[in-house]
Amino acid sequence: MNWLVSLTIVCLAVQCSTAVQYPEDVYSSLAFVFDTTGSMENDYLQLKSHAESIMNYVLTRNNTDIKHFVFVPFNDPDVGPVTETFDPKVIMHKLNQVLIRGGGDCPEMGITAVIRALKVVKPNSYIYVFTDAPPKDSHLVYDALELIQRKQSQVVVLRTVHDCISTDKSYENIASLGSGNVFDVNKEDVSKVLQFVKTSMDTNRVNLMSVNIPQKQLIPFPKKLNIDESIKNLQVSVSGLNSNIGVVNPVGKKMDEAHGLITDLDLKNVKIVNILEPIPGEWTLYITSESAHTIRACGISTKNFDFGFATSIPKNMTQTSHRPLKGAKNYILVNCPDVKKFVSCKIQDLSSDGTTEALPILDFGKNLLLCGPFIPKNNPFYVQVFGMNNNGNYFRRITKTSIIPNEPDAPYITTTQKAVGVVGGELHINCHVESLVPFTVTWESLNYPQQAWNFSQSSEIELVVRNVTFQHEGIFTCGAQNIAGYSESTTNVTIISKPTIAEGSDNVTLVLPEGGDYALKCTGQGIPSPLMIWLMNGSPVSSYSVVNDFRRLIIFDIPLGDSNVYTCRAINEAGTVEKNYKIVVKGETPFPMIANESLIINELDDVLMNCPLTNMNHKWLKDGVNINDLVYKRADEQHFKQINRSLKIYELDELDNGVYTCMSSNETYTFHLRIAFAPLFIKYQPETMMISKNETVVFDCRARGFPKPRVYWRKLESAFPITPWTLKDTEYLEDKQVLKIHNIDWIHNGTYTCIVKNKLGSEKRRFELYVF
């Protein structure tokens, strides 16, 4: 095996996420986490209905990125089972099958259920929790926060009012960290909240401001907000008691309903307003609340930034981690497109009132910014980037979630779940290892020895296997070890081969006589088995002409002038191979010239033959017999008449075929006359035949006619004309005028027809064959 590890790190820009995205992660998830304890019985039907409404809204959106669906029921002490699917009908079925039962004490296993959902959703997803109780498993909040940061997903909790009284703030902490919300609602408020939830599901959501105010604020204090031209929708929310939101645009005008301010939600503990198409510039927010409150502003924009942390200067995003190392110096690498210059890079503590700490800035290249070093505090924080875009407008963004510094942890490994290699080519497998401290990475498979390399920080390692064979198929394991532990991830490798054509791929030219049936066989080989397609002059051939699983092309009754190029194409995932058959149709050999002139005249017509000899002795011969001896061939009716040097024949029939000669003293001139007539069957045959199995049957459709009649055979029970390739044990005799079937079997039962025709007419025979 020829191993080669490429240490070139691939930079993958991932919006709102520091995790490396692979093809299976290009979509988002929608997850429902449902409390199924007995106390939810009165609310369940309403909540289920709203969950269905959210699902239907997602499915009807034309631009949705949500393709993956998750359902996690939780009770006490049971959680699950987890259902994940790409079929939304499966989730709706699960919702309808839920049994509301159990419980008894107030707290339930809500945090465990959220963690289960976070483990299976894709990055940048939406998780909706429906419950009426505080969590029993608050000790798992940190685990949930870790997953929220890694998945950059939003958790929204819809908590209906119930008798449970608790001071637990676990759901609030989760929502605060992940820029989500906790809605405490009465039944009459549920529909309002769910309507807001539907309109807030947008993967292009960017965070502009997040401020926690630890006390009430009755006198508004202005908060400045920079809006750039990419922001298509501005939303401001305040979570606090009896809150009020004032918004002033960059030209000093206070926004109200008459000037574009829309109130999305107005509850006792949450207020949310929305402004469509805000003008670029510096906006001002005036917020009041009768309790401690959180202010958040976000917008809809395709312009956001990616970020990551490293303990030494990283070369690109793949050398960073989604959290900084606790107690150590850290750098922040920011990737932000459409940037003319960066103005600041700041750290904002989640628990502060918006106070920020500016970090040293190093320009690191186009659209890249290196900040630091800094030693993070133990509290959750946001990263804030401020700068000027290429249009000259100032923009400000903060991270989608807040960030918690981390102790050294076991490496986090992401590999592609599946990889495909082509025999003879190169196999590429990516393994991204996220680690805050140095680590050793190993690649291992069943048939080949383990190999190891050392890295100082997060990296992406690409394994390249050259000269791939089928022996490389199987499970490849990428493992990583650091001081905190060992992790591994596997890739299932499938090996395929390019298609070949068993009959060879060299193009051929076939010269075929007119009127025959011909079969072109083309068998494709490869793994997976190739799809076989026939083309005629570059266009697909109708299925009427193709039999036997598209491996054989039958050309029925090929006419003169129908010279074409037929292409057999074999296709699979590894490639395409073609073979061309150039068909040249050769017409029937013409009759040899036995006279000076050749004439073809229809039956019952008259003909006049003019002798060109100037010294003609007025003597005409037919096949060497003097015409005067044949004048009254038809009883008393004159059939031949000489007119000067010409000979006229009346009401031609088949007996008039022959060579006619006019003569002079020393030369002759001849006419070869042929009479054209419609086909006539030569022999009578019964229309119904009973033949025992394994015997032989002959259908006789011999016919006279000129031009020579063509014969067409059909079996009523088959879509294809009769050929040795479409009906077994068949054989044609005497230019297809006789059909012979050997070894009669049950499949030969049925109705057979033959049609003989030329340009003057046609005749048809029908045969019923019964096999016993």
Side-chain angles (χ1 to χ4, degrees):
M1 178 177 184
N2 188 358
W3 294 84
L4 174 66
V5 174
S6 172
L7 300 184
T8 302
I9 308 302
V10 180
C11 179
L12 300 176
V14 183
Q15 183 176 346
C16 301
S17 175
T18 58
V20 176
Q21 279 187 332
Y22 293 102
E24 57 265 29
D25 291 332
V26 297
Y27 44 79
S28 299
S29 306
L30 173 63
F32 295 119
V33 179
F34 255 88
D35 183 346
T36 62
T37 54
S39 61
M40 286 286 288
E41 185 172 8
N42 293 331
D43 298 326
Y44 175 72
L45 290 178
Q46 184 185 18
L47 294 178
K48 181 178 75 71
S49 173
H50 287 298
E52 291 176 348
S53 178
I54 293 174
M55 180 76 79
N56 291 330
Y57 175 78
V58 169
L59 296 177
T60 54
R61 287 199 321 184
N62 294 328
N63 60 343
T64 183
D65 292 321
I66 299 173
K67 308 292 184 184
H68 182 238
F69 305 95
V70 176
F71 177 65
V72 185
F74 68 95
N75 206 285
D76 187 8
D78 300 322
V79 175
V82 176
T83 301
E84 57 171 322
T85 179
F86 294 98
D87 184 356
K89 294 179 182 178
V90 173
I91 298 299
M92 301 317 300
H93 176 73
K94 291 293 183 180
L95 279 168
N96 288 320
Q97 295 298 110
V98 164
L99 295 177
I100 302 298
R101 55 182 172 76
D105 59 341
C106 195
E108 314 297 353
M109 302 293 285
I111 306 300
T112 300
V114 170
I115 291 174
R116 295 276 188 91
L118 283 165
K119 285 182 176 180
V120 298
V121 298
K122 306 302 179 182
N124 301 302
S125 294
Y126 305 91
I127 300 171
Y128 296 101
V129 183
F130 297 84
T131 186
D132 65 350
K136 177 179 288 188
D137 44 3
S138 298
H139 61 285
L140 297 176
V141 165
Y142 185 86
D143 295 334
L145 298 181
E146 155 66 18
L147 287 167
I148 288 173
Q149 291 173 91
R150 184 175 295 284
K151 294 294 182 75
Q152 296 284 287
S153 293
Q154 185 183 74
V155 178
V156 174
V157 181
L158 190 68
R159 192 165 53 195
T160 57
V161 176
H162 201 261
D163 296 335
C164 296
I165 300 174
S166 174
T167 58
D168 185 276
K169 296 296 182 183
S170 298
Y171 285 133
E172 284 78 4
N173 291 336
I174 288 175
S176 177
L177 182 76
S179 298
N181 291 96
V182 177
F183 297 106
D184 288 316
V185 293
N186 297 308
K187 282 188 176 182
E188 58 271 17
D189 295 327
V190 171
S191 59
K192 299 177 184 178
V193 173
L194 266 296
Q195 182 60 37
F196 160 71
V197 165
K198 288 192 293 187
T199 59
S200 66
M201 296 171 63
D202 197 309
T203 52
N204 289 328
R205 204 171 190 79
V206 296
N207 274 11
L208 306 175
M209 175 188 291
S210 184
V211 179
N212 285 6
I213 308 296
Q215 68 278 330
K216 64 181 180 181
Q217 189 167 10
L218 302 179
I219 299 176
F221 186 81
K223 301 287 184 183
K224 300 297 183 181
L225 191 63
N226 290 95
I227 301 297
D228 60 272
E229 74 284 351
S230 74
I231 302 295
K232 302 304 179 186
N233 185 18
L234 171 62
Q235 186 180 88
V236 181
S237 66
V238 179
S239 297
L241 188 61
N242 296 324
S243 302
N244 185 56
I245 303 174
V247 182
V248 176
N249 70 13
V251 296
K253 188 169 189 61
K254 184 177 180 179
M255 306 298 291
D256 54 27
E257 292 184 0
H259 297 90
L261 184 72
I262 301 170
T263 301
D264 282 337
L265 198 62
D266 191 0
L267 304 178
K268 186 174 182 179
N269 64 328
V270 179
K271 184 167 185 178
I272 301 174
V273 299
N274 191 33
I275 299 168
L276 299 178
E277 301 292 340
I279 61 175
E282 188 176 72
W283 290 64
T284 307
L285 306 180
Y286 294 92
I287 309 296
T288 62
S289 179
E290 295 178 6
S291 67
H293 54 286
T294 299
I295 305 169
R296 290 203 183 95
C298 61
I300 303 301
S301 171
T302 58
K303 306 297 183 182
N304 204 3
F305 71 99
D306 190 15
F307 68 98
F309 301 93
T311 54
S312 59
I313 295 179
K315 295 181 179 179
N316 47 56
M317 293 301 299
T318 60
Q319 293 186 344
T320 65
S321 297
H322 73 290
R323 298 168 70 180
L325 181 60
K326 186 176 181 179
K329 289 184 178 180
N330 287 265
Y331 293 89
I332 305 177
L333 183 62
V334 173
N335 180 9
C336 192
D338 191 36
V339 175
K340 185 175 182 179
K341 70 174 183 177
F342 291 100
V343 176
S344 67
C345 174
K346 296 182 177 181
I347 296 297
Q348 176 190 326
D349 197 298
L350 175 65
S351 60
S352 73
D353 61 356
T355 304
T356 58
E357 175 189 351
L359 301 181
I361 290 181
L362 293 173
D363 284 330
F364 194 70
K366 185 177 181 181
N367 299 332
L368 289 175
L369 171 69
L370 185 66
C371 309
F374 75 105
I375 299 177
K377 299 176 183 178
N378 294 335
N379 297 329
F381 65 90
Y382 292 97
V383 175
Q384 182 193 100
V385 177
F386 182 58
M388 178 182 290
N389 62 25
N390 289 329
N391 291 330
N393 290 311
Y394 285 101
F395 69 93
R396 191 187 308 272
R397 299 285 189 274
I398 64 172
T399 49
K400 188 172 184 179
T401 67
S402 57
I403 301 141
I404 302 175
N406 198 20
E407 299 281 358
D409 198 2
Y412 183 82
I413 303 179
T414 308
T415 58
T416 49
Q417 296 178 2
K418 299 177 182 179
V420 177
V422 179
V423 171
E426 292 185 350
L427 170 66
H428 295 253
I429 311 176
N430 288 322
C431 176
H432 183 261
V433 180
E434 185 178 321
S435 177
L436 294 167
V437 292
F439 63 93
T440 299
V441 68
T442 58
W443 275 106
E444 186 175 13
S445 71
L446 180 63
N447 299 320
Y448 299 96
Q450 184 183 86
Q451 299 192 25
W453 298 268
N454 296 319
F455 295 90
S456 61
Q457 60 185 0
S458 299
S459 296
E460 182 163 306
I461 302 92
E462 182 184 53
L463 177 69
V464 181
V465 183
R466 296 199 173 102
N467 299 319
V468 170
T469 69
F470 284 111
Q471 291 182 331
H472 293 114
E473 187 165 277
I475 301 298
F476 282 70
T477 301
C478 178
Q481 176 80 54
N482 65 14
I483 59 173
Y486 174 81
S487 301
E488 64 181 33
S489 182
T490 60
T491 298
N492 188 0
V493 173
T494 302
I495 304 301
I496 62 177
S497 62
K498 293 181 179 179
T500 59
I501 294 176
E503 293 77 17
S505 57
D506 293 335
N507 297 333
V508 297
T509 299
L510 299 176
V511 179
L512 304 177
E514 176 189 9
D517 298 330
Y518 304 99
L520 304 177
K521 186 179 180 182
C522 187
T523 307
Q525 299 173 333
I527 298 178
S529 296
L531 171 68
M532 307 303 297
I533 299 175
W534 279 98
L535 308 171
M536 183 181 75
N537 300 329
S539 298
V541 174
S542 69
S543 59
Y544 182 82
S545 304
V546 183
V547 296
N548 294 344
D549 195 24
F550 288 83
R551 294 171 183 248
R552 192 188 302 272
L553 175 72
I554 299 178
I555 308 173
F556 301 105
D557 191 40
I558 186 168
L560 186 65
D562 190 22
S563 298
N564 296 291
V565 175
Y566 293 90
T567 302
C568 169
R569 179 179 294 169
I571 307 170
N572 69 7
E573 297 173 34
T576 301
V577 64
E578 293 182 347
K579 179 175 183 175
N580 292 323
Y581 296 83
K582 183 178 181 182
I583 304 298
V584 178
V585 182
K586 184 180 180 181
E588 295 183 358
T589 303
F591 289 104
M593 179 61 71
I594 60 174
N596 299 104
E597 288 188 40
S598 183
L599 303 175
I600 299 176
I601 308 297
N602 290 346
E603 188 178 30
L604 299 180
D605 285 351
D606 300 339
V607 65
L608 181 67
M609 292 176 282
N610 296 310
C611 182
L613 301 179
T614 55
N615 297 317
M616 180 185 169
N617 59 12
H618 299 287
K619 184 177 182 180
W620 280 89
L621 305 177
K622 178 183 183 296
D623 296 329
V625 178
N626 194 313
I627 205 73
N628 292 325
D629 297 333
L630 304 172
V631 169
Y632 292 100
K633 179 178 72 69
R634 297 182 184 175
D636 60 349
E637 181 181 349
Q638 189 178 29
H639 188 59
F640 299 96
K641 183 178 181 180
Q642 294 186 55
I643 305 173
N644 296 326
R645 290 183 296 175
S646 301
L647 175 67
K648 186 171 184 178
I649 307 174
Y650 297 91
E651 296 184 6
L652 294 167
D653 65 20
E654 187 179 359
L655 295 176
D656 293 318
N657 281 309
V659 177
Y660 294 82
T661 306
C662 64
M663 307 176 64
S664 68
S665 58
N666 58 0
E667 60 179 331
T668 61
Y669 192 88
T670 58
F671 298 86
H672 185 191
L673 177 62
R674 286 173 291 177
I675 310 305
F677 61 98
L680 298 170
F681 286 118
I682 296 173
K683 181 180 178 181
Y684 168 78
Q685 186 173 8
E687 293 185 351
T688 301
M689 286 176 278
M690 300 184 68
I691 307 294
S692 61
K693 197 168 180 244
N694 298 323
E695 292 297 321
T696 299
V697 66
V698 175
F699 299 116
D700 193 329
C701 276
R702 285 177 292 175
R704 296 187 296 108
F706 187 83
K708 182 179 178 180
R710 307 270 295 269
V711 185
Y712 304 90
W713 288 90
R714 294 291 187 272
K715 186 173 187 291
L716 181 63
E717 293 78 11
S718 174
F720 298 104
I722 298 172
T723 72
W725 308 285
T726 57
L727 188 62
K728 72 173 187 175
D729 296 322
T730 57
E731 177 187 9
Y732 283 126
L733 304 173
E734 299 195 29
D735 292 331
K736 293 180 69 175
Q737 294 193 34
V738 175
L739 172 63
K740 189 174 185 179
I741 306 178
H742 306 271
N743 304 313
I744 288 292
D745 203 348
W746 307 119
I747 66 168
H748 296 112
N749 262 314
T751 302
Y752 295 78
T753 59
C754 70
I755 300 173
V756 293
K757 66 179 180 179
N758 63 17
K759 65 180 182 179
L760 296 181
S762 65
E763 289 290 335
K764 181 178 180 180
R765 262 186 182 168
R766 177 181 178 131
F767 306 96
E768 296 287 345
L769 176 63
Y770 297 97
V771 180
F772 63 92

